[in-house]
Every structure is written in C-alpha cells, then in structure tokens.
Amino acid sequence: MANEQVLTAEQVLEKASHYLKENTEMVRRAYEFAREAHREQYRKSGEPYIIHPIQVAGILVDLRMDPATVSAGFLHDVVEDTAVTLEDIEQAFTKEVAMLVDGVTKLGKIKYKSKEEQQAENHRKMFVAMAQDIRVILIKLADRLHNMRTLKHLPLEKQQRIANETLEIFAPLAHRLGISAIKWELEDTALRYLNPQQYYRIVNLMKRKRAEREEYLGSVMNEVKEKLKDMAITAELSGRPKHIYSIYRKMVLQNKQFNEIYDLLAVRIVVNSIKDCYAVLGIIHTCWKPMPGRFKDYIAMPKANLYQSLHTTVIGPKGDPLEVQIRTKSMHEVAEFGVAAHWAYKEGKDINEQETLEKKLTWFRQILEWQKDASNAEEFMESLKIDLFSDMVFVFTPKGDVMELPLGSVPLDFAYRIHSEIGNKTIGAKVNSKMVPLDYKLKTGDIVEILTSKHSYGPSQDWVKLAQTSHAKNKIRQFFKKQRRDENIEKGRELVEKELRALEYDLKEVLTADNLKRVAEKFNFANEEDMYAAVGYNGITAAQIATRLTDKFRKKREEEKLLAEAMSEVKKQPALKIRKRDSGIKVSGVDNLLIRLSRCCNPVPGDDIIGYITKGRGVSIHRTDCVNVLVEEAQDRLLQVEWENNPEKEIEYNVDIEISGFDRRGLLNEVLQAVNETKTHISAVSGRSDRNKMAMIHMSISIQNVHHLQKVVERIKQVRDIYAVRRLMH
C-alpha cells in the first residue's frame, strides 16, 4: 500500500466510482463539505489541509470501503479542527456517518493532568467506538498511515513520539485486524524515524544481493510452475517481499546476522481452491526437503485476525532455506486487507458472511469488558497492550475449540477467559493429559483442561501474581473485593469519619445523602457503599474522600475568613488620599487601597460603576449591570465608587467589541481603517466566518470614555455590510 503519490479529490472519486457505481453522490458531497470546512487551514508542510482528508479517503477507497466509511474519511477532522458539530454532520449526511466521525474525533474541552492521560483517554474513546463498529479503526488507521507518510515535516521529538505510538498501538491493531498492507508500511516508516541507522543499514544490505535473490527466486518459481503444469493446477506465483521491520526484529530479538534470517527468500503461491493448496504443499515437499518444525497450517487453524495460509520452509536448490506460502485467492485478499476485505463494499452483501465475521471477531468485543474493569484510561491502555497486542499462543479446550491467549499465559488465564466462575473454582490443571502447576507457561498446540471443585474456597491472594493477563488479574481482585465487602464498607466508613473529625468538621453536616452521592459519582462509584468498600480495601484513601466531601465547606470557610479580613481592612482606613494606580477611580472614605478594573465587563469613564471587595486583591471595579456583582452572594462586599472628574493624566481603558456583518473580500481591512480614522489604538483582533457567509470580528481597543467608544462604534457602523456592533462582557 506504500504510496508517495498525492492523489487529487477527482482521482479518489474516480477510483471510488469503479466499485461504488452510482453510490458516490454522498461521497462527493462529503468532499465538498470538508473542503469548505477546512478552507484557509494549512498543514505543517504548508499544504492546504484538505489534502490530508483526500489521502485518507483515498486509502479507504483502496480498501474498497462502503460509502459511509469513505465519506467519514473525508470528514474525519472537521469536528476536531473546525466549527462544524456532529449535529451538522448528521443533518447533512446520516447518523451512521456522524457516528464514524465521532469515533475518531479526539476528546476536547476537558482538562487532563498530563498529555499522557489525555492521549490515553482519546485512545479509550476510540477503542470503545471501534468495539461497536470496526470501521472506526479502519478510518483511524488510514489517518495514521498518511500522517506517517508526511512525518518529515514535524520536529524530531514529535516524530519519535508519533512513531513510537504507531509501533505500540496502531501497527499491532492493523496486524490483529489482518490488514498487512497497512501494518508493514506503518512498521517500516516508524522504524525509519526511531532507528534510522539500522533502517538504512538493512535497506543497503537488501539492495546489495537483490539481483542475486531475484535470479534465484526466478529459477525456483520456474521449476514449481513446471511441476504445477504437470498436475494441471492453475496458480499465480510471486516472490514475497520481506519487510524491513520484520528483519530488524529478528536481528534484535533472535540476535541474528542479516545472512542468518531464513525467510529473506520466500515464494507465494495463490491457487483456486483449498484442495489445490494441499496438493501444492505435497509437490513442494516432494521437490525439496522440508525443515523440521517449520510447517504451519493456518488454513485448518486460522489466526484470530482471519488470516489463512499454509507456511512451510524447505531446503532450496542451493541449500539455502526457502519459505513457501500457499493460499487461495480469497485467502490472499483477506491476508492483504483483513477485516476490510469483509467490510469491502458489495451490492447485496452476504448476510451469512457478515455473521461469520462477527463471530470471528468476538475477541474484539472483549474491549468493552476490559473498559469496565479498568479504573482509568492508562490502566485500560496497559490492558490492551498486554492482552491484545502481545504475541499470542493458540491452545485447545478438551473439546477441540481453539483459544487464543497472550504469550506467557498460564492455566489460570485460560480458566478465567472461559468464565470467571471456572477461574474462581479452579483447583488444578492438566496440559496434554498431564498435571501441571498453575504457573505453567502455555505453548501453542497445548490441550488444556481445568480441574474445578464446588467446595473450593476461591482464589488465593498469590493468584494475582501468577496470572499474566489483566483480564484474569481483574477478576481475581474483584472476587476478594466482593468476599470482604461488608467488612470493607464498615472499615472504610470508620476511616472517613476519623479523617473528618481530625479536620474538625461536623459529621452530620458533611455526611448528607446528597454530598455522599456527589462524591461517589465523582470517583466513579455506583453508590456510597462501593466508595466506603474501596477505602476499606485501600483502593482509594480516606483522605481523598474526606477532602472531596469537605471541598464546599472548606471553600466557605476560606471565603468567610477572607471576607472578614477584607472588610476589617476597609473599616480601618481613614478618609485621606486615594491610591489610584492610574485607574481614575475614587473610593469614598478609603485610603491607599489597591484598585483594579475588572476584565469581565471592562468599565470606562461614563459607565455606572460599583466596587467589589476581593479576597486579598483589593477592590475590583465593575459596571453596575455586570452579572458578577448582581448575584446575591456579592451584595455584602460592594462599595460605592465613582470616576474622578479631573484625573491627573489622560488614561486609556481596554474594551472588547464584537462586529458582525456579511463576509466579503476586504471587509476586515475596511473595519480596521474605520477604527484607525478615530485615532483609536487596536490591541488585538480576530475573525471568523460560517457557511452562511456571516463574518464575526472580535476587537480589543483602547478608549478614554463612553463618548470615545460611541464615536468608534458609529464609525464602524458606517462600513458597508456591517450588521451590528456590540460591547462584550466576559
């Protein structure tokens, strides 16, 4: 799928029309909608931003995705990067398209403790959406693939962070979904930025012997073709390209030199039927001697990502190891495009095929279960990396069903994957009919039988250390939490009450039903009993709960203390001169008091004003119609103030105004020129326009009084196509 060519929108739409036929109308509208939304936005490379959504949609078209997915590819960034909302997308297109866009949209407007926490929350949101509709991740993979192709335009630190995230999350996801066409390019590109020295060394080593390898593979394929012709088997033969990252991994993990890697030489044979696959395998093993332990039958036992093929390694004509892969055409399509091959757009899609896909991807639905077990986003991501992205082993139940588990799993992981009750009642395990300890490392091909007893007292505390998967660990922890629930609830309640007494709070005042419910919800507990139980088993500290329970009372205490201090300070002051600090404000009966103009309403001479005693920052001056001083809580802190008639020097005051009008070329320049004509200083200006050609201009100006402001407003109103000018209050 590697492709450095930058596609135009018309090229993408043309490719889409080849398989979508007449169903491209929505796709074209999606492109036009995205083009308008991203107008005047640019990428770090300096290119118009719309180029990125076009390439993402192009990748999805190469995967032959349905109209809704391709449309979402064009639209995937509009909610995150423009003023467009999900409601706008649903109204303009469909609920389905809006759902797909929402799945790949990062969380916004929420403040997190760190970038890592925010990134983890974004990934959690994406995975949960993906578990409901796999097309979400196909869009995200296409998005990441194009971002990796253009990574050179970013700073080095960002290149390495994104490349590392790609190797940890997105390349393994592409692998688990069977999309090798995307997986290999993501891995190779990531390696180029994470370890450029090794990347280019392997590239050069591959180039040196390429001609020799191609000549050797050519002679092997000619020999195989002759044998297949004799057996009347139709097949397509090709040299299988070896990817740089897989060579790098084998050199690092297996400590091998470049010339020691067996499958640098590989032949792929694509035939018409499964029967032909096994016939070709027989021919290959007749021609050359197979290497022991190097045969894998993924047709009889497909991988979890739906991959099917026969793999064998033989000693080739020159005595070098030669890998051979044999599969049917449909298997080859799945090997390249994985889950996307099943989602690929087809008229009259086979319902049975879709149901089969859903059954084969049941592991994917476990994401929702892991999401419930994890206490936070970081734990959720760690669970995924362990359970979903690590190398896997394939073991059998006594009935012959295949179960896939992370490499390093033990019988306890197997038991809890079957059912939590099986795990809780486990008393032993047999592997291949022999008793094994519960920390035995399972191997591919093992037949595992779990021994249980109704009279079992349940898990041991040591099981948390023995289990390798986060799924099993969480189930074991949940057992102990439930077993000691009543004891933990009582213990937790006592600890919280003790903490509150130490802080000198009235328990009756603090421990109300509403306050307990509020705090329980804040910490994501279903009720106060769950919260107390968590304190009891050290899942959360009593100090954390007490701090949250008393936050409102503590704030009230502090406010009362500060107010008393401020009012006391005001009353002490004799009626002498005023500390103006160039404010032009006079406070009756108060000396040397810090005065500042409030930014929420920006009062200027001529406005009716009032003083508000703040906590430790003197008096802030507001307009009398400011919402912040109209509230009942503010009434006890108000002071009478007035503008000075003859200030010692001319003072300028900052005012924010909003100008609305019809968006046309040159409008902003004419507004700026009009303000300049009034000899008014402009400190900041910004503007935007919507799809209805309505322009909104925000401007901060420095003025002397309300008469000066009125003069500026009247001059702006004289500009053609201006609808309204209003003074802003924040």
Side-chain angles (χ1 to χ4, degrees):
M1 183 164 277
N3 183 8
E4 296 299 323
Q5 179 192 359
V6 177
L7 298 171
T8 65
E10 287 306 318
Q11 286 173 323
V12 172
L13 293 167
E14 174 65 23
K15 288 170 78 174
S17 68
H18 289 162
Y19 72 92
L20 294 178
K21 308 302 180 187
E22 69 277 6
N23 295 307
T24 56
E25 188 270 334
M26 180 171 72
V27 175
R28 180 174 289 278
R29 281 195 297 111
Y31 159 64
E32 291 167 354
F33 189 100
R35 182 186 60 190
E36 182 62 23
H38 291 299
R39 188 164 52 92
E40 298 181 7
Q41 287 186 334
Y42 296 88
R43 302 194 86 206
K44 294 286 185 185
S45 61
E47 300 171 321
Y49 194 92
I50 189 62
I51 287 178
H52 172 62
I54 291 171
Q55 307 317 303
V56 170
I59 293 166
L60 294 169
V61 166
D62 286 340
L63 294 173
R64 295 176 65 84
M65 296 307 297
D66 60 293
T69 309
V70 178
S71 298
F74 276 121
L75 299 165
H76 76 278
D77 273 339
V78 294
V79 173
E80 189 176 324
D81 294 335
T82 76
V84 174
T85 65
L86 285 170
E87 289 73 22
D88 294 334
I89 292 178
E90 187 174 335
Q91 189 174 356
F93 298 94
T94 66
K95 191 171 184 177
E96 181 185 18
V97 173
M99 179 274 296
L100 293 172
V101 172
D102 184 38
V104 292
T105 301
K106 291 176 186 171
L107 296 167
K109 301 178 183 176
I110 302 174
K111 291 185 179 178
Y112 296 95
K113 292 177 186 175
S114 63
K115 283 185 179 178
E116 291 76 15
E117 183 185 358
Q118 182 171 12
Q119 192 72 328
E121 284 289 1
N122 285 328
H123 286 144
R124 188 212 285 251
K125 177 177 184 283
M126 178 186 72
F127 280 112
V128 173
M130 175 181 72
Q132 292 163 350
D133 195 315
I134 293 165
R135 291 174 295 174
V136 168
I137 200 58
L138 298 177
I139 299 166
K140 191 64 187 176
L141 285 172
D143 171 55
R144 178 52 60 107
L145 181 58
H146 183 248
N147 282 335
M148 290 299 290
R149 288 175 180 172
T150 57
L151 206 56
K152 62 185 176 185
H153 301 292
L154 297 180
L156 178 63
E157 180 274 328
K158 208 165 185 181
Q159 287 178 348
Q160 293 188 335
R161 178 175 61 77
I162 293 172
N164 191 60
E165 181 186 61
T166 299
L167 273 186
E168 278 194 348
I169 294 172
F170 293 99
L173 254 179
H175 171 66
R176 288 305 300 265
L177 293 172
I179 314 173
S180 59
I182 288 180
K183 176 208 171 188
W184 292 122
E185 188 179 348
L186 287 177
E187 288 181 335
D188 286 357
T189 313
L191 180 63
R192 193 167 82 209
Y193 290 100
L194 289 173
N195 197 335
Q197 187 177 358
Q198 283 283 34
Y199 174 86
Y200 288 109
R201 175 172 171 257
I202 293 169
V203 168
N204 290 330
L205 286 168
M206 290 176 73
K207 279 181 180 176
R208 282 181 203 170
K209 296 191 175 182
R210 176 172 290 171
E212 183 184 327
R213 281 202 312 274
E214 287 176 353
E215 182 183 345
Y216 175 68
L217 286 175
S219 65
V220 168
M221 287 191 287
N222 286 334
E223 188 173 343
V224 173
K225 282 176 184 176
E226 288 300 317
K227 298 284 184 184
L228 296 179
K229 191 176 180 182
D230 293 343
M231 298 291 290
I233 295 175
T234 305
E236 296 174 12
L237 279 74
S238 62
R240 184 179 70 83
K242 191 64 189 172
H243 295 277
I244 298 163
Y245 182 73
S246 65
I247 295 172
Y248 168 78
R249 272 179 60 86
K250 288 186 178 180
M251 290 173 70
V252 171
L253 296 180
Q254 300 176 18
N255 197 25
K256 289 185 175 181
Q257 294 300 314
F258 182 79
N259 55 8
E260 294 178 307
I261 297 173
Y262 287 155
D263 48 0
L264 277 173
L265 298 171
V267 174
R268 180 177 292 145
I269 304 172
V270 180
V271 295
N272 293 326
S273 68
I274 293 176
K275 182 182 74 174
D276 288 347
C277 288
Y278 289 100
V280 171
L281 178 69
I283 292 169
I284 297 296
H285 283 179
T286 302
C287 292
W288 300 291
K289 188 176 181 180
M291 291 180 66
R294 298 284 297 173
F295 169 66
K296 294 184 179 70
D297 187 345
Y298 294 120
I299 294 178
M301 196 168 74
K303 291 185 178 182
N305 62 11
L306 314 181
Y307 178 89
Q308 287 184 287
S309 189
L310 295 176
H311 289 198
T312 187
T313 302
V314 297
I315 303 299
K318 294 184 179 180
D320 294 323
L322 172 70
E323 184 185 33
V324 182
Q325 295 180 354
I326 310 163
R327 61 180 69 143
T328 65
K329 289 178 181 177
S330 61
M331 289 175 192
H332 182 62
E333 186 179 354
V334 173
E336 289 297 301
F337 303 114
V339 123
H342 292 266
W343 273 100
Y345 185 75
K346 300 171 186 173
E347 289 185 4
K349 188 180 287 186
D350 187 348
I351 294 174
N352 291 327
E353 179 185 338
Q354 195 58 41
E355 287 176 354
T356 303
L357 171 66
E358 291 295 317
K359 286 179 183 177
K360 287 184 178 179
L361 289 169
T362 50
W363 60 270
F364 224 73
R365 307 297 175 236
Q366 291 169 348
I367 288 174
L368 288 178
E369 188 176 345
W370 290 326
Q371 137 89 358
K372 291 173 188 171
D373 291 342
S375 60
N376 56 50
E378 283 99 333
E379 185 180 323
F380 173 70
M381 288 309 300
E382 285 308 309
S383 296
L384 279 176
K385 288 175 187 177
I386 294 168
D387 291 354
L388 190 57
F389 298 152
S390 58
D391 291 332
M392 311 305 286
V393 292
F394 298 87
V395 296
F396 294 92
T397 68
K399 291 183 178 180
D401 296 326
V402 180
M403 185 166 290
E404 184 184 22
L405 291 164
L407 186 66
S409 292
V410 300
L412 282 175
D413 298 301
F414 178 89
Y416 278 101
R417 186 59 62 86
I418 295 171
H419 196 280
S420 56
E421 278 306 303
I422 299 289
N424 290 338
K425 296 293 182 183
T426 296
I427 58 169
K430 285 183 178 181
V431 173
N432 304 325
S433 300
K434 292 181 181 179
M435 290 294 296
V436 296
L438 292 178
D439 62 353
Y440 169 85
K441 301 291 184 186
L442 298 175
K443 303 179 185 68
T444 294
D446 282 345
I447 301 171
V448 187
E449 181 183 355
I450 300 298
L451 306 178
T452 62
S453 170
K454 293 179 182 178
H455 305 295
S456 167
Y457 289 107
S460 160
Q461 288 280 10
D462 293 337
W463 285 14
V464 176
K465 296 176 185 175
L466 293 180
Q468 299 300 305
T469 63
S470 59
H471 174 74
K473 288 176 185 287
N474 283 331
K475 292 298 180 186
I476 296 165
R477 290 191 187 106
Q478 284 174 16
F479 175 85
F480 288 111
K481 290 174 189 176
K482 189 175 180 181
Q483 283 292 97
R484 299 174 181 171
R485 180 174 171 77
D486 292 341
E487 180 186 329
N488 284 327
I489 289 172
E490 191 56 38
K491 182 182 175 184
R493 182 181 281 110
E494 288 174 4
L495 288 170
V496 171
E497 289 179 358
K498 182 180 177 182
E499 192 73 30
L500 290 172
R501 287 192 194 97
L503 296 170
E504 298 180 354
Y505 283 99
D506 182 351
L507 296 186
K508 288 183 180 179
E509 186 182 14
V510 175
L511 298 176
T512 62
D514 287 344
N515 200 25
L516 286 166
K517 182 182 178 185
R518 176 183 69 84
V519 174
E521 288 175 353
K522 195 75 177 177
F523 286 104
N524 295 318
F525 293 111
N527 51 53
E528 64 180 88
E529 289 188 341
D530 284 356
M531 180 176 72
Y532 282 136
V535 176
Y537 62 71
N538 295 323
I540 192 168
T541 66
Q544 285 176 283
I545 299 297
T547 301
R548 186 65 73 176
L549 281 168
T550 58
D551 52 7
K552 291 183 178 179
F553 302 96
R554 191 169 58 255
K555 189 176 179 183
K556 187 178 178 183
R557 275 187 186 180
E558 290 169 0
E559 285 180 353
E560 287 172 354
K561 183 180 175 184
L562 287 168
L563 180 57
E565 290 173 356
M567 293 303 289
S568 174
E569 189 66 30
V570 169
K571 288 172 183 176
K572 285 180 188 176
Q573 302 296 338
L576 294 171
K577 65 175 185 177
I578 302 157
R579 185 182 175 196
K580 297 185 296 295
R581 290 191 77 251
D582 297 331
S583 65
I585 302 288
K586 183 164 61 178
V587 182
S588 178
V590 181
D591 173 44
N592 199 32
L593 193 64
L594 181 65
I595 294 171
R596 63 186 183 85
L597 298 175
S598 167
R599 291 186 179 180
C600 58
C601 55
N602 287 327
V604 298
D607 286 330
D608 292 331
I609 54 174
I610 193 81
Y612 178 82
I613 301 170
T614 64
K615 305 172 195 174
R617 291 182 295 169
V619 176
S620 66
I621 307 301
H622 296 257
R623 285 160 51 186
T624 54
D625 60 348
C626 177
V627 293
N628 291 323
V629 294
L630 291 175
V631 294
E632 187 178 339
E633 293 83 356
Q635 301 308 305
D636 293 337
R637 302 192 191 183
L638 301 181
L639 284 175
Q640 292 302 315
V641 296
E642 59 185 41
W643 296 105
E644 283 192 307
N645 291 329
N646 297 302
E648 294 174 5
K649 65 176 183 178
E650 197 173 82
I651 302 168
E652 291 194 333
Y653 301 85
N654 190 62
V655 171
D656 292 336
I657 58 174
E658 181 183 77
I659 305 156
S660 58
F662 175 71
D663 184 23
R664 60 172 171 81
R665 188 182 296 276
L667 180 69
L668 180 58
N669 283 337
E670 289 182 30
V671 170
L672 293 173
Q673 187 176 349
V675 176
N676 284 330
E677 287 175 11
T678 65
K679 298 182 180 179
T680 301
H681 174 68
I682 302 170
S683 56
V685 64
S686 63
R688 62 182 176 82
S689 65
D690 59 21
R691 286 182 294 164
N692 299 318
K693 303 292 283 183
M694 171 67 83
M696 301 294 288
I697 302 169
H698 290 108
M699 190 179 292
S700 293
I701 58 177
S702 300
I703 59 130
Q704 295 161 12
N705 50 48
V706 289
H707 303 297
H708 182 183
L709 176 60
Q710 190 62 33
K711 179 182 174 184
V712 175
V713 171
E714 290 300 327
R715 179 63 188 88
I716 294 172
K717 285 182 177 179
Q718 293 172 17
V719 175
R720 181 170 59 90
D721 293 326
I722 292 298
Y723 300 149
V725 182
R726 71 184 185 96
R727 185 175 171 184
L728 292 177
M729 288 180 65
H730 299 285

